[in-house]
Amino acid sequence: MRTASYATWLALIALTLASCDGGTVGPASGTTRTLLTDDPFPYSRVASVDLFIVSVSASVSPDTGAAGAGSFVTLATPNRRINVLGLQNGLTEELGTAALPTGAITAVKLVIDTDRSSITLKNGTILTDSSTPGIHWQSSAGQPVLSALLHENILVPDTGAVVVVDYDVGQAFIAPQEIDPTSTDSGFIFSPVLRATDATRTGSIAGVVRAHSATGSAVENASLRLYLGTTGTPENTWPMLATAKTDATGAFRFAYVTRSSYWASIPIHAGKSYIVAVDPPAGSGLGRTLVPNLTVTPRVETAVGTLVLP
């Protein structure tokens, strides 16, 4: 089931945390839902990225304060192809549900089938592991087990949890020219990048990008990066946490963003905040802009308003 982005996301959270009457779209008490979403793909020539997702599993600790991991249990067995490229700006696809004991998820793993996965270009060309050009799965060919990054444990109350797997397709499929500028290979190299989040402990950042002034024309296909950093330090020292792109109306959204209070609790990140960098579409003649000092609160959308590209 695909869910609409932020409004439906808020409703889903509310329904997950409370008991639900029959006929609602929320899970029954004690049911944990696993959803899939994606950061935008940075290649304009790509139409779809169809990953065959076999299963998702999690290591569950019965003690929410425990640092160690428990046994892995199955969260979902979708066993189907999903166009991950279609899951941007907070859109999600439900992978499955499971009844879990209360506690905390300390690790998440995803299994994909590379033989049944493909990339379709806008000219109709389909890239697979056996095509030329194609997808270079390297050592991940077959049915690799991919580990997701967790910034913090995913809490599982007795009402169930909402686990969101964010598959960063843009960073996971690399153009060969990024490694070897002399390469003429028009395929992609696979290097998995994904994270898992607790939907009830994340927020979002959203806004609109316009050209020259707040009343200027909407900027479509502007590229945005979400950093964690400190203003006054070089941009290349800020870790990049997510990407986004503007739609035809200039709107963008970073969904399922880790709460700021989590970073504040880590000494090395104390004093840092979220920074959004906005780059114009290639050939537009527009400049770029930075929006610093942003914070994210669980279940709240941080609205940055209209961002102007000079």
Side-chain angles (χ1 to χ4, degrees):
M1 178 181 70
R2 183 164 299 177
T3 58
S5 55
Y6 197 69
T8 302
W9 177 76
L10 285 177
L12 183 150
I13 298 303
L15 288 166
T16 301
L17 295 176
S19 297
C20 301
D21 295 329
T24 65
V25 297
S29 177
T31 300
T32 290
R33 300 180 72 184
T34 300
L35 310 176
L36 180 70
T37 191
D38 172 44
D39 284 343
F41 201 81
Y43 305 109
S44 58
R45 63 191 180 99
V46 175
S48 67
V49 178
D50 297 298
L51 289 181
F52 193 100
I53 299 179
V54 178
S55 64
V56 186
S57 60
S59 181
V60 181
S61 169
D63 179 0
T64 58
S71 301
F72 271 87
V73 297
T74 299
L75 294 179
T77 53
N79 214 40
R80 68 179 188 273
R81 285 162 54 100
I82 297 174
N83 176 19
V84 186
L85 189 58
L87 303 178
Q88 301 180 23
N89 296 322
L91 289 177
T92 62
E93 182 93 5
E94 183 170 302
L95 300 181
T97 62
L100 301 183
T102 58
I105 292 174
T106 57
V108 173
K109 294 182 178 181
L110 182 78
V111 177
I112 65 172
D113 188 326
T114 62
D115 293 335
R116 291 188 280 183
S117 299
S118 63
I119 294 175
T120 302
L121 305 182
K122 289 183 178 178
N123 65 7
T125 301
I126 299 176
L127 309 183
T128 67
D129 59 347
S130 59
S131 66
T132 303
I135 305 172
H136 305 282
W137 297 102
Q138 300 178 312
S139 60
S140 298
Q143 290 197 355
V145 180
L146 312 177
S147 296
L149 170 67
L150 268 71
H151 289 153
E152 59 182 333
N153 290 345
I154 299 171
L155 302 183
V156 184
D158 57 8
T159 51
V162 180
V163 179
V164 180
V165 177
D166 186 352
Y167 207 114
D168 193 334
V169 174
Q171 293 190 72
F173 289 91
I174 306 168
Q177 291 73 24
E178 293 185 29
I179 298 174
D180 178 9
T182 65
S183 174
T184 59
D185 188 345
S186 56
F188 292 97
I189 299 169
F190 179 71
S191 178
V193 178
L194 65 156
R195 68 186 179 100
T197 64
D198 182 339
T200 67
R201 304 173 83 183
T202 61
S204 64
I205 299 173
V208 175
V209 179
R210 295 190 177 277
H212 304 302
S213 71
T215 58
S217 58
V219 179
E220 184 178 7
N221 287 326
S223 297
L224 298 97
R225 295 177 177 85
L226 181 65
Y227 294 108
L228 183 71
T230 305
T231 54
T233 59
E235 185 174 337
N236 62 8
T237 66
W238 306 336
M240 187 182 72
L241 302 181
T243 60
K245 275 195 173 184
T246 53
D247 62 17
T249 68
F252 69 89
R253 171 172 288 110
F254 293 100
Y256 305 107
V257 179
T258 300
R259 57 197 175 104
S260 297
S261 58
Y262 166 76
W263 300 113
S265 68
I266 302 174
I268 194 174
H269 294 305
K272 296 181 180 179
S273 63
Y274 284 117
I275 303 170
V276 170
V278 188
D279 288 293
S284 67
L286 297 170
R288 73 192 305 262
T289 190
L290 292 175
V291 186
N293 304 318
L294 298 174
T295 59
V296 170
T297 304
R299 301 181 228 170
V300 174
E301 180 172 276
T302 299
V304 299
T306 300
L307 306 183
V308 177
L309 297 186

